[in-house]
Amino acid sequence: MTQHNKTLGEFIINKQSEFKYSSGELSRLINSIRLAGKIVNHEVNKAGLVDILGTAGVENIQGEDQQKLDVYANEVFINTLVNREIVCGIASEEEDDFISIVGGNKKNDNKYVVLMDPLDGSSNIDVNVSVGTIFSIYRRVTPAGTPVTLEDFLQPGKQQVAAGYIVYGTSTMIVYSTGHGVNGFTLNPAIGTYYLSHPNMKFPEKGNIYSVNEGNYIHFPKGVKKYIKYCQEEEGDRPYTSRYIGSLVSDFHRNMIKGGIYIYPSTSKNPNGKLRLLYECNPMAFLAERAGGKASDGFTRILDIKPTELHQRVSFFCGNKEMVEKAEKFMRKAKKK
Ligand code: AHM
Ligand code: MG
């Protein structure tokens, strides 16, 4: 990566001028997410110092209360979006209910709602493994200027205007799409600037990685068990390799670059899977499709599912088109029997 690569700021401005009649609202919104991501990144980077600076719920040397990082990230994203007056509503995996920003004395004609998982995979923080923020943006369906309602958030994923993630990894990256390509930007922490490092990201045509928590094998549906056995068979380009970080953003990111499938199926413990449709699966499915991949619940396209509740869970199969289709075939076959 060199200094003359386009920065995220420049990229957003260029994109904005492509939409002749756009108000720049979406560009400003992406900009706010970029800023909040930098603040969270700074804090995530200090996570290893927790024993020195104090643990969650305990006062640190400065007499400040240390917060859990997922709670902190939630607050940073909400405060940034509220303070910049850039959205009309927010729903977060960390909040029981959605937040309406319209109301009171202030006029707010903003048309977008943001849904997010502010810090996904946060159990990985203690062991210095990558975590991420996932975000999803929709145009509200109720009239501008009125308080948002549940209806504004329970839209099928195909209605998303934009979606993306920030991965706090060996490098910090923001990867997002406003509907056409998927572009990735890497943060240069020395100057706090994101540079376009991964233009037009695409899943490779063929993949050979499967990512699933095999510890739950015994509780998996038959179709998934059979697909895992298929991945392990010796034939053609198989056996595939198994890679599972347990951090959706990182597993997805690797699979998009190297080619693979991520599966979090239903289990006897979690009959609807573990992942959340609105905060995790829809944004990832939006990116997957824009990058030439596919995402389904084993039978149905994720982006077609009409949500019924905010914290709804769903089985998730996401990655290389060919691999997801193969897994779906095993699911259908097992269901018929
Ligand atoms: P979280 O939202 O509580 O962090 O859970 C989501 C995470 C995903 O990032 C990851 O892929 C999955 O949970 C891992 O779950 P498991 O430990 O059951 O394999
Ligand atoms: Mg999560």
Side-chain angles (χ1 to χ4, degrees), residues 93 117 120-122 213 244 246-248 262 264 274-275 280:
E93 198 185 289
D117 182 353
D120 183 64
S122 48
N213 186 344
Y244 188 72
S247 202
L248 172 63
Y262 173 96
Y264 208 112
K274 176 188 179 191
L275 300 183
E280 296 168 325

Side-chain angles (χ1 to χ4, degrees), residues 62 97 195 215 283 332-333:
Q62 288 85 31
D97 211 348
Y195 288 96
R332 278 197 303 271
K333 211 168 148 193

